[in-house]
């Protein structure tokens, strides 16, 4: 398999210490984002064990929640994960290059004239609309393609998916056989709230309709849904954020291992007098002679401006020389000021590394300061960091692949005028 180096990706060398790897990474970057693939594998195995006997898949959309599609898919596949979910065909191409034999579902659905793209990389659309189903049927009939598809049923999210009535209408098609449907699924609205009455309502609706899809595996539980218990787990579970260390049980302690470590470089040490302000707008004022460390990361790197501090509000914290130190003033596009006055002399110097995420600062803690959720923290981490991968039999990012040819791919069909409405369903 052809490999190509991403200039932002620094493979973790077994010949160098962690410090040496970071030093190499920092030659051209202000920060280092380290992804622990062994922690992702451990999280997947914990979720798999929790969901037994259901199959445990992995959601790797949005560049595996910012952690790297190729690396994460490859590591999880070697650990035993056989099914993956992405959002787009382009994401599916990247995943297919990393896991040639896995099952890949595309959550974004099927659009007119995209059938050839699905066939070329042998992946499956998640169909959530009768028009999509009609267009998929036309493609499969004209080409003989039999790669399979999932049916998404809306049980309360009111986002994507067939209505319950629409799903009921296609049951005769399922009973007729040779339907090509390999999964029926829905999505929970409030899975992280253990006592939400919506969970029971959705479970009842999905159990009822899924039971009529005879012989078709069913999937309902996301990361948090897995912890709602066996009734929610069906045949397959679809963890996403929990794989990457986000707490799937926010009403209890986090059962997942942390995955991401983010460090940045100090570019300057400076002192200011009592009464001087720091940053845009002068919103933070020194109440004493203050020593500041300026670090080379900002909101352009995914460290949100919302974590700033002012004279009335304490912002986020950063670990400098093993001690938590507060952000001073507004976070700007490329820089953050940190109050290091309480550190011992010379504990922090220009060129030293500080920790923004890791060493006890969790994704969920940052999300609290950012005024958002851990999902957005991870997917917002910028591309200006050097990336270090450790564990998981690390592979470098793959070259942009040409769409892989599916086995026994049918010839491309002639242009077909798609129906404006779904064809009649078999009775």
């Amino acid at each position: 398999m052809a490999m190509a180096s991403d200039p932002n990706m620094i493979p973790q060398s077994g010949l160098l210490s962690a410090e040496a790897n970071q030093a190499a990474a920092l030659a051209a970057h202000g920060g280092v984002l380290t992804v622990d693939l062994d922690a992702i594998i451990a999280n997947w195995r914990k979720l798999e064990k929790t969901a037994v006997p259901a199959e445990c898949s992995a959601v790797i959309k949005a560049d595996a929640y910012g952690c790297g599609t190729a690396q994460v898919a490859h590591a999880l596949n070697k650990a035993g994960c056989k099914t993956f979910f992405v959002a787009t065909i382009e994401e599916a191409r990247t995943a297919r290059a990393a896991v040639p034999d896995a099952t890949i579902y595309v959550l974004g659905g099927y659009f007119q004239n995209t059938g050839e793209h699905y066939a070329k990389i042998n992946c499956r659309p998640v169909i959530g609309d009768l028009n999509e189903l009609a267009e998929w049927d036309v493609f499969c009939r004209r080409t003989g393609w039999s790669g399979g598809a999932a049916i998404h049923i809306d049980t309360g999210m009111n986002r994507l998916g067939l209505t319950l009535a629409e799903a009921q209408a296609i049951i005769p098609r399922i009973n007729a056989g040779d339907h090509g449907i390999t999964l029926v699924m829905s999505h929970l609205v409030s899975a992280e709230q253990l006592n939400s009455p919506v969970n029971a309502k959705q479970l009842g609706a999905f159990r009822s309709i899924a039971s009529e899809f005879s012989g078709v595996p069913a999937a309902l539980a996301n990361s948090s849904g897995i912890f709602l218990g066996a009734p929610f787990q069906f045949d397959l579970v679809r963890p996403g954020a929990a794989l990457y260390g986000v707490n799937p049980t926010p009403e209890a302690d986090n059962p997942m291992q942390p995955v991401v470590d983010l460090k940045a470089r100090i570019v300057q040490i400076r002192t200011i007098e009592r009464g001087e302000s720091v940053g845009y707008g002068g919103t933070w004022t020194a109440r004493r002679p203050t020593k500041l460390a300026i670090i080379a990361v900002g909101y352009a790197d995914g460290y949100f401006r919302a974590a700033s501090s002012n004279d009335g509000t304490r912002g986020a914290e950063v670990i400098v020389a093993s001690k938590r130190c507060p952000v001073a003033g507004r976070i700007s596009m490329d820089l953050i000021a940190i109050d290091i006055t309480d550190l011992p002399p010379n504990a922090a110097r220009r060129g030293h590394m500080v920790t923004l995420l890791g060493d006890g600062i969790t994704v969920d803690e940052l999300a609290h300061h950012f005024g958002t959720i851990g999902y957005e923290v991870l997917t917002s981490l910028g591309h200006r960091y050097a990336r270090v991968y450790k564990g998981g039999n690390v592979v470098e990012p793959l070259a942009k692949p040409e769409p892989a040819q599916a086995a026994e791919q049918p010839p491309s069909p002639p242009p077909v005028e798609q129906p404006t409405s779904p064809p009649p369903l078999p009775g």
Side-chain angles (χ1 to χ4, degrees), residues 164-343:
L164 292 172
E166 289 171 336
Q168 187 67 48
I170 67 171
I171 296 302
R173 168 202 176 106
I174 302 301
N175 293 337
D178 193 27
H179 47 72
I181 304 305
T182 53
L183 184 71
V184 58
M185 58 178 279
S186 189
H187 196 61
L188 292 166
V189 173
S190 304
E192 70 281 359
Q193 300 172 20
L194 295 177
N195 297 317
S196 171
V198 177
N199 294 330
K201 183 178 180 180
Q202 285 192 272
L203 175 62
F206 183 68
R207 180 192 288 132
S208 176
I209 191 67
S211 67
E212 299 196 51
F213 280 69
S214 179
V216 178
L220 176 63
N222 55 4
S223 290
S224 297
I226 293 171
F227 293 90
L228 293 177
F232 288 82
Q233 293 164 3
F234 290 89
D235 302 296
L236 180 141
V237 295
R238 309 185 311 271
L243 294 171
Y244 312 103
V246 175
N247 188 359
T249 57
E251 297 175 2
D253 291 339
N254 190 353
M256 310 281 73
Q257 293 187 20
V259 167
V260 174
D261 179 274
L262 176 59
K263 288 182 168 57
R265 177 171 52 190
I266 297 175
V267 295
Q268 189 175 109
I269 302 291
R270 62 189 303 121
T271 57
I272 60 173
E273 299 301 321
R274 181 178 183 273
E276 290 190 84
S277 65
V278 176
Y280 283 115
T283 58
W284 187 91
T285 306
R287 299 181 180 181
R288 58 181 176 172
T290 299
K291 190 174 184 180
L292 299 171
I294 312 301
I295 62 173
V297 161
Y299 58 74
D301 305 290
Y303 200 89
F304 290 13
R305 191 169 180 265
S308 302
S309 65
N310 57 47
D311 287 338
T313 305
R314 189 178 178 93
E317 295 178 328
V318 172
I319 297 175
V320 185
S322 302
K323 180 179 175 63
R324 285 183 174 237
C325 298
V327 169
R330 283 185 180 163
I331 293 163
S332 54
M333 184 180 290
D334 312 302
L335 299 167
I336 303 173
I338 308 298
D339 183 350
I340 59 169
T341 310
D342 294 330
L343 294 182

Side-chain angles (χ1 to χ4, degrees), residues 25 29 43 85-86 187 251 254 291 321 325 331 346 356 393:
H29 303 276
N43 289 339
F85 288 83
V86 296
H187 196 61
E251 297 175 2
N254 190 353
K291 190 174 184 180
C325 298
I331 293 163
N346 298 319
L356 290 81
N393 297 315

Side-chain angles (χ1 to χ4, degrees), residues 9-268:
M9 190 279 204
I10 312 295
Q12 189 86 326
S13 169
L15 301 178
L16 300 176
S17 67
E19 291 76 13
N21 273 297
Q22 287 178 357
L26 274 172
H29 303 276
V32 177
L33 181 68
T34 301
V35 179
D36 187 343
L37 296 173
D38 283 343
I40 293 176
I41 291 170
N43 289 339
W44 180 78
R45 286 179 172 154
K46 182 176 184 65
L47 294 162
E48 180 190 37
K49 184 177 180 181
T50 303
V52 167
E55 177 188 351
C56 188
S57 67
V59 179
I60 55 170
K61 62 182 179 177
D63 196 30
Y65 288 60
C67 292
T69 299
Q71 292 80 10
V72 171
H74 177 81
L76 287 177
N77 190 235
K78 291 198 72 172
C81 184
K82 297 179 174 61
T83 303
F84 296 88
F85 288 83
V86 296
T88 67
I89 292 176
E90 188 62 31
E91 290 179 351
R93 289 193 182 102
T94 302
R96 174 57 72 213
V99 287
D101 300 319
T103 298
I104 300 174
Y105 286 99
V106 179
L107 294 162
Y110 184 84
F111 288 90
Q112 186 175 348
N113 300 324
T114 57
E116 290 183 18
H117 297 288
Y118 280 102
K120 285 178 181 178
I121 57 175
N122 190 21
C123 63
R124 303 172 179 179
V126 176
I127 292 172
D129 178 89
L130 289 180
N131 289 308
E132 291 180 49
L133 183 58
E135 292 163 357
W136 174 249
D137 280 344
V138 168
F139 174 76
C140 292
R141 286 198 303 267
R142 291 304 182 100
T143 65
W145 176 248
S146 57
I151 293 292
H152 184 182
I153 301 172
D154 178 30
T155 55
M157 182 72 78
N158 287 318
R159 205 173 51 174
L160 297 177
L162 275 65
T163 66
L164 292 172
E166 289 171 336
Q168 187 67 48
I170 67 171
I171 296 302
R173 168 202 176 106
I174 302 301
N175 293 337
D178 193 27
H179 47 72
I181 304 305
T182 53
L183 184 71
V184 58
M185 58 178 279
S186 189
H187 196 61
L188 292 166
V189 173
S190 304
E192 70 281 359
Q193 300 172 20
L194 295 177
N195 297 317
S196 171
V198 177
N199 294 330
K201 183 178 180 180
Q202 285 192 272
L203 175 62
F206 183 68
R207 180 192 288 132
S208 176
I209 191 67
S211 67
E212 299 196 51
F213 280 69
S214 179
V216 178
L220 176 63
N222 55 4
S223 290
S224 297
I226 293 171
F227 293 90
L228 293 177
F232 288 82
Q233 293 164 3
F234 290 89
D235 302 296
L236 180 141
V237 295
R238 309 185 311 271
L243 294 171
Y244 312 103
V246 175
N247 188 359
T249 57
E251 297 175 2
D253 291 339
N254 190 353
M256 310 281 73
Q257 293 187 20
V259 167
V260 174
D261 179 274
L262 176 59
K263 288 182 168 57
R265 177 171 52 190
I266 297 175
V267 295
Q268 189 175 109

Side-chain angles (χ1 to χ4, degrees), residues 316-317 324 360-370:
E317 295 178 328
R324 285 183 174 237
I361 297 178
T362 67
V363 171
D364 295 294
E365 178 183 335
L366 271 192
H368 171 74
H369 287 294
F370 291 175

